[in-house]
Amino acid sequence: MASAIRQAHWAYSIWLPFTLLGVWQLAATAGWLDPLFFPPPSKLATAAVRQFLQGDLAFQVYSTLTRSFLGFVAGTVAGLLCGAAMGLSARAHRSLEPLVSALYSTPKITLLPMLMLLVGVGETSRLLIIAAGCFILVAMHTLDGIASVDPHYVDMARNCGASRRVLFHRVYLPACTPHVFTGMRLAAGRGLVTTLSVEMVSAGEGLGNVILHSWQTFSTERLYLAIILTALLGASLHQSLRALEKRLIPWRKQ
Amino acid sequence: MGEMQAPVRPISTASGTAPPNTSPALRCEALAVSFQQNGVRVPILRDISFSAAPGEFVSLLGPSGCGKTTLLRTLAGLVTPESGAVFTANGPGRMVFQENALFPWMTVLDNACFGLEIEQTPRAERESRARLLLERYRLGGREKAYPHELSLGMKQRVAVIRGFLSNPGLLLMDEPFAALDWQMRLTLQEELLDLWAQDSCTVLFVTHDVDEAILLSDRILVLSPQPGTILGEYAVPFSRPRPPELSVRDEFVALKRRILADFGDRLTGARSAG
């Protein structure tokens, strides 16, 4: 299945979006769609060039990227520590598990008002929300990764005389890397999603803010541009993490 | 391989005691192992006593589930015996496993070197030693491959090389060729004997295949079904190197017939399971 996906020509990955754009263009120019609500892609393209050259769109993309990146890094570091502690110590597992599973099933955005009360309405509350989403995913996958280390390989290394230090960096660490990386890949996606939601409700800039603001001011071109940019960000993030995974975990069966 | 001189090895007598002037590489005394299963004590091995001389090749022949693997794991220091004692001249033995015998996240070269890496042999030295063996056993050019890119036979070949490279006084092999097809098994058996002939280590080889046991070993110990204990012992007097055609010669067939006549009823279960 996986190899079948790799064998298919790259053109298979782009024909659908381009066909949709073509249909949209056709419908808009033929007058089936109201160009006020649905400006044709050709107009969006020229608007994109204009807004990137003269406007603030690059800055908006930059804000969204930095915000989700900072949240992702903070959440990932905390998640790795928490997941490792839970995986390695039964006491830590017992103590942290209720909190982690409660946080897992709570939509993070619902915590924003509470956090704003706690740390103020500034950037800290937004970053905390984004980090919380990443934290949960990384912590749970790290925990899974440690739990799934095959004791057979631990025995095999111990039999060769491996010390605890060697066991850690030659067996435990590589054995759980694929799980941890999956957690981080999901967290990066989740981070972007949360960033957009947070920007829609509480930020002065960023793509989420652009979307909401364009809706309120009826700037449809800008609205669609922001949506398309968001989708492109998500897609390129996913692709680059996949590529990174192949480099970092060459031994994983693809 | 053919031009190799047959090494002179001490072959112990059928009574199982090593020649009096040699201290054994391995000695088990009244070894018993049991596991707790749902609060019930299940005996796995009972009253296992034998010894192996330095450089001797001993096979443990027994049906599946007779505790052969547990015996090896005990000798490897991975299982604590309930009673009895194990004495080894050079620390616990090195295992070569039947399945997943390589670390999936290490390249062929790193896997082969792992024992030497633990001993902190300098990288250049351990890699050149490993490359030499990989080259000789037709794994040249595959040093950077990962185990999932290798065939089963190649994987086991790397595992055997790692075993010998880690300077074992005692090598414990747990049916390393059981999952291989006949042709591949013959090749690896020959390579194993070739490697062993150049090393001074003692080998304890678990198998349920009578032919394999006779072809490889100096001595065969037959184990009973669970709880496993030693039922009998056979010296294999054939000179080395042993050609694969040995298995159709009269003396080979006679020994095989003797083993099967004595214990065939207890081994047949294993043969159909294997």
Side-chain angles (χ1 to χ4, degrees):
Chain A
M1 169 88 182
S3 65
I5 290 172
R6 260 184 312 164
Q7 277 159 17
H9 196 267
W10 57 269
Y12 281 99
S13 314
I14 57 164
W15 71 270
L16 190 55
F18 274 86
T19 308
L20 288 175
L21 282 178
V23 170
W24 182 359
Q25 177 76 34
L26 194 72
T29 43
W32 302 332
L33 288 173
D34 185 343
L36 202 57
F37 293 160
F38 302 101
S42 55
K43 264 189 91 184
L44 287 180
T46 49
V49 173
R50 199 177 58 240
Q51 298 227 12
F52 265 107
L53 290 179
Q54 299 160 7
D56 62 334
L57 213 50
F59 167 73
Q60 305 292 357
V61 172
Y62 170 79
S63 326
T64 297
L65 273 180
T66 29
R67 185 172 283 141
S68 62
F69 180 74
L70 288 176
F72 168 75
V73 169
T76 298
V77 170
L80 282 172
L81 292 176
C82 173
M86 287 172 77
L88 298 173
S89 146
R91 285 187 194 132
H93 190 274
R94 266 289 162 84
S95 319
L96 295 169
E97 220 265 323
L99 207 66
V100 168
S101 49
L103 193 55
Y104 177 68
S105 44
T106 311
K108 260 43 93 191
I109 196 77
T110 59
L111 301 175
L112 188 61
M114 181 189 81
L115 276 171
M116 290 198 293
L117 288 177
L118 275 171
V119 298
V121 292
E123 187 67 13
T124 318
S125 59
R126 290 172 215 135
L127 288 179
L128 276 175
I129 284 293
I130 299 160
C134 300
F135 162 80
I136 284 296
L137 285 168
V138 173
M140 294 190 94
H141 281 85
T142 304
L143 175 62
D144 267 3
I146 293 174
S148 68
V149 173
D150 189 339
H152 165 76
Y153 294 117
V154 178
D155 280 352
M156 200 153 82
R158 276 205 305 154
N159 179 243
C160 287
S163 62
R164 285 179 69 90
R165 197 181 60 83
V166 171
L167 270 185
F168 179 77
H169 85 254
R170 290 298 262 163
V171 179
Y172 281 103
L173 207 56
C176 66
T177 310
H179 289 263
V180 173
F181 200 90
T182 302
M184 287 171 66
R185 187 159 46 77
L186 295 175
R190 174 78 67 83
L192 191 61
V193 170
T194 318
T195 304
L196 265 291
S197 329
V198 168
E199 285 172 350
M200 287 185 79
V201 294
S202 101
E205 75 294 306
L207 286 174
N209 179 259
V210 171
I211 291 171
L212 191 71
H213 192 254
S214 314
W215 159 249
Q216 287 163 344
T217 58
F218 208 67
S219 326
T220 42
E221 280 174 16
R222 205 167 149 78
L223 173 70
Y224 286 114
L225 275 183
I227 292 174
I228 290 170
L229 279 172
T230 307
L232 283 177
L233 276 186
S236 49
L237 185 71
H238 184 76
Q239 288 305 324
S240 40
L241 284 168
R242 275 272 182 227
L244 187 66
E245 184 171 18
K246 266 189 193 160
R247 282 192 67 95
L248 289 181
I249 316 173
W251 49 274
R252 191 179 220 183
K253 283 173 213 160
Q254 298 290 335
Chain B
M1 291 169 209
E3 68 276 7
M4 287 289 316
Q5 284 245 312
V8 182
R9 292 183 177 278
I11 308 241
S12 61
T13 58
S15 72
T17 48
N21 56 349
T22 330
S23 64
L26 163 72
R27 189 156 50 92
C28 290
E29 276 176 11
L31 202 62
V33 175
S34 64
F35 292 147
Q36 292 291 327
Q37 226 164 45
N38 307 323
V40 184
R41 186 182 145 277
V42 182
I44 307 291
L45 296 168
R46 66 181 169 86
D47 198 28
I48 302 267
S49 298
F50 71 97
S51 61
E56 194 181 13
F57 198 121
V58 179
S59 281
L60 292 167
L61 182 65
S64 299
C66 72
K68 298 177 300 230
T69 297
T70 306
L71 178 53
L72 284 199
R73 291 175 67 87
T74 311
L75 302 179
L78 296 171
V79 170
T80 314
E82 186 180 36
S83 63
V86 178
F87 303 97
T88 51
N90 302 305
R94 289 285 147 79
M95 292 275 288
V96 176
F97 292 91
Q98 177 183 356
E99 281 181 327
N100 301 321
L102 301 179
F103 297 105
W105 48 87
M106 290 185 204
T107 59
V108 163
L109 188 62
D110 283 354
N111 261 299
C113 290
F114 188 67
L116 293 174
E117 185 190 323
I118 301 288
E119 287 171 15
Q120 296 177 330
T121 309
R123 178 181 285 272
E125 188 195 329
R126 64 177 192 244
E127 290 192 350
S128 74
R129 283 177 64 184
R131 277 176 202 282
L132 201 71
L133 288 185
L134 292 171
E135 200 77 44
R136 173 145 32 110
Y137 296 105
R138 295 188 295 279
L139 284 160
R142 306 307 302 272
E143 292 91 347
K144 294 285 164 215
Y146 285 91
H148 77 267
E149 300 166 309
L150 301 183
S151 71
L152 199 56
M154 284 171 156
K155 281 190 240 188
Q156 290 312 93
R157 193 176 269 155
V158 177
V160 172
I161 288 174
R162 174 169 69 206
F164 279 98
L165 266 181
S166 60
N167 300 317
L170 172 65
L171 201 55
L172 305 165
M173 311 188 81
D174 185 12
E175 307 206 45
F177 311 143
L180 304 180
D181 62 64
W182 178 77
Q183 191 67 45
M184 195 44 121
R185 192 179 322 165
L186 283 191
T187 313
L188 265 83
Q189 285 167 349
E190 202 180 332
E191 291 175 4
L192 166 63
L193 289 180
D194 185 41
L195 274 163
W196 171 70
Q198 295 158 60
D199 201 285
S200 56
C201 72
T202 308
V203 178
L204 207 59
F205 190 97
V206 155
T207 181
H208 58 253
D209 181 337
V210 184
D211 287 69
E212 186 171 57
I214 300 176
L215 188 69
L216 295 177
S217 16
D218 296 322
R219 193 154 53 97
I220 299 172
L221 302 173
V222 179
L223 284 173
S224 70
Q226 210 164 295
T229 193
I230 295 174
L231 292 175
E233 184 172 351
Y234 299 85
V236 184
F238 312 131
S239 65
R240 297 177 187 274
R242 295 176 182 169
E245 314 86 76
L246 181 68
S247 62
V248 291
R249 289 200 197 143
D250 290 345
E251 59 268 35
F252 186 103
V253 176
L255 179 57
K256 181 177 176 183
R257 190 176 293 141
R258 228 177 89 210
I259 296 175
L260 288 176
D262 292 351
F263 301 111
D265 52 333
R266 322 223 186 168
L267 293 172
T268 41
R271 287 170 68 77
S272 59

